[in-house]
Amino acid sequence: MSENLSTPVPGSADHPRGDAVLADLERLSIELATAAGRFIRDDRPSQVRVADTKSTDTDVVTVMDRESETLLRRLIVAARPDDAILGEEGADVPGTTGLTWVIDPIDGTVNYLYDIPAYAVSVAVVEGDPHEDGAWWPIAGAVGDPCLRLVHHARRGGGAWTRREGVTDDDQPKRLAVSGETTLDRTLLATGFGYSAQVRARQAEVLRRVLPQVRDIRRIGSAALDLVRVADGSVDAYAESGLNAWDLAAGWLIVEEAGGVVVGLAQRPGKALTVAAGQGLVEQLRALFTEQ
Ligand code: IPD
């Protein structure tokens, strides 16, 4: 399935695994996000079938979420049989390399269900234990945006990039950079909401405080695409509580490699809170989202 993808500017990564290994993981992430992205777009049935619900009746799993995860899992096992896999739809495969592929086969499932063209495939390789908040970190990853036929990607130390889906060496990927905004009242802030009514009620309370203090908010419906938007500067910041590892793993790295900062209540982002923005904004937003 390899598509002769050019490697972006060599990284300055002094990661112990070495930049060549990271570059291979990034390349595979791009291939996986592309393959699953094409699948969910090109094989999307006119009536998307809901297979099940999870935390609430509105937290749906479609047949395509499951099939996309099965595809990703099959491709990962074929390419990297010793790595672990953790997927939104239940994949939890142990490994022996210290690397876990953290995958969201459709991020923005509700948009997918309604045929709103803002959904993504998120694929990341992480170290640490992604089952536990704060105990893991991404080292390579990609977010496929099949509706725009784009793939956004990064590896630790290698910069963040956007390329067109399925192109080869001749195409120049575009380097991403976060916005330079530093003032809260000029900040365009992306956010999202969980599926449970109680969580939403709390999130609405926080928004009552936040909304008068920023330029405006956007609720796009895919955390992975929200993070990519922070990375490419098309929003200034993103903040949400309740995210799972698969929602944020690839986007977290893409934001950092685009010069941004991603934090949580503590240093690493996670379920309690994820805030992503440029250096000059991130602490102001963390304070706003954690004020009692
Ligand atoms: C959801 C989306 C949404 C965010 C939710 C996530 P899913 O993921 O990323 O934007 O607000 O918190 O759960 O369910 O579409 O994979």
Side-chain angles (χ1 to χ4, degrees):
M1 75 185 268
S2 190
E3 273 181 331
N4 193 25
L5 297 165
S6 63
T7 308
V9 175
S12 56
D14 47 8
H15 192 278
R17 291 182 195 265
D19 190 55
V21 171
L22 265 52
D24 279 346
L25 295 170
E26 182 183 20
R27 204 172 294 118
L28 182 55
S29 305
I30 296 168
E31 291 178 5
L32 294 166
T34 303
R38 281 180 167 150
F39 169 67
I40 62 174
R41 178 194 63 223
D42 296 346
D43 288 16
R44 183 182 183 281
S46 50
Q47 286 295 318
V48 173
R49 276 201 300 128
V50 173
D52 208 348
T53 56
K54 295 188 285 190
S55 56
T56 68
D57 282 354
T58 52
D59 183 4
V60 299
V61 187
T62 71
V63 172
M64 291 297 279
D65 283 270
R66 288 192 175 157
E67 290 185 1
S68 176
E69 183 157 304
T70 302
L71 170 68
L72 287 168
R73 188 175 161 161
R74 181 168 55 73
L75 295 173
I76 294 167
V77 169
R80 307 258 327 166
D82 300 325
D83 294 348
I85 306 174
L86 177 66
E88 174 168 24
E89 309 313 338
D92 198 355
V93 177
T96 55
T97 58
L99 296 177
T100 304
W101 292 84
V102 177
I103 55 176
D104 192 337
I106 304 180
D107 184 57
T109 300
V110 175
N111 285 344
Y112 189 74
L113 187 65
Y114 282 76
D115 205 10
I116 295 169
Y119 51 82
V121 175
S122 177
V123 175
V125 188
V126 316
E127 292 178 322
D129 181 1
H131 298 88
E132 199 187 319
D133 250 12
W136 61 277
W137 53 93
I139 61 168
V143 173
D145 181 343
C147 299
L148 294 182
R149 294 175 192 255
L150 296 175
V151 184
H152 316 279
H153 56 96
R155 66 177 184 273
R156 187 67 64 198
W161 304 85
T162 293
R163 62 172 68 238
R164 284 190 291 127
E165 177 192 282
V167 293
T168 56
D169 282 356
D170 305 332
D171 283 272
Q172 288 302 310
K174 180 182 131 214
R175 190 162 193 159
L176 306 184
V178 297
S179 96
E181 188 53 66
T182 56
T183 317
L184 264 186
D185 60 11
R186 271 184 265 136
T187 291
L188 184 60
L189 172 70
T191 191
F193 311 112
Y195 290 105
S196 108
Q198 292 100 310
V199 170
R200 286 179 163 225
R202 271 204 312 277
Q203 287 171 322
E205 281 306 307
V206 173
L207 266 195
R208 271 160 58 100
R209 191 174 62 239
V210 170
L211 197 47
Q213 303 205 45
V214 295
R215 181 193 291 270
D216 205 347
I217 64 150
R218 292 290 178 271
R219 198 295 193 240
I220 291 163
S222 157
L225 292 181
D226 288 326
L227 286 161
V228 165
R229 283 196 171 276
V230 174
D232 73 11
S234 58
V235 298
D236 300 303
Y238 165 70
E240 183 170 347
S241 55
L243 290 189
N244 291 298
W246 44 77
D247 298 312
L248 74 104
W252 168 7
L253 180 62
I254 292 170
V255 171
E256 288 191 340
E257 288 297 323
V261 183
V262 185
V263 295
L265 277 188
Q267 208 44 39
R268 290 190 184 130
K271 233 186 180 28
L273 183 67
T274 295
V275 180
Q279 303 264 359
L281 207 51
V282 75
E283 285 307 332
Q284 298 175 64
L285 279 162
R286 172 152 63 180
L288 196 55
F289 273 77
T290 51
E291 248 171 51
Q292 291 306 314

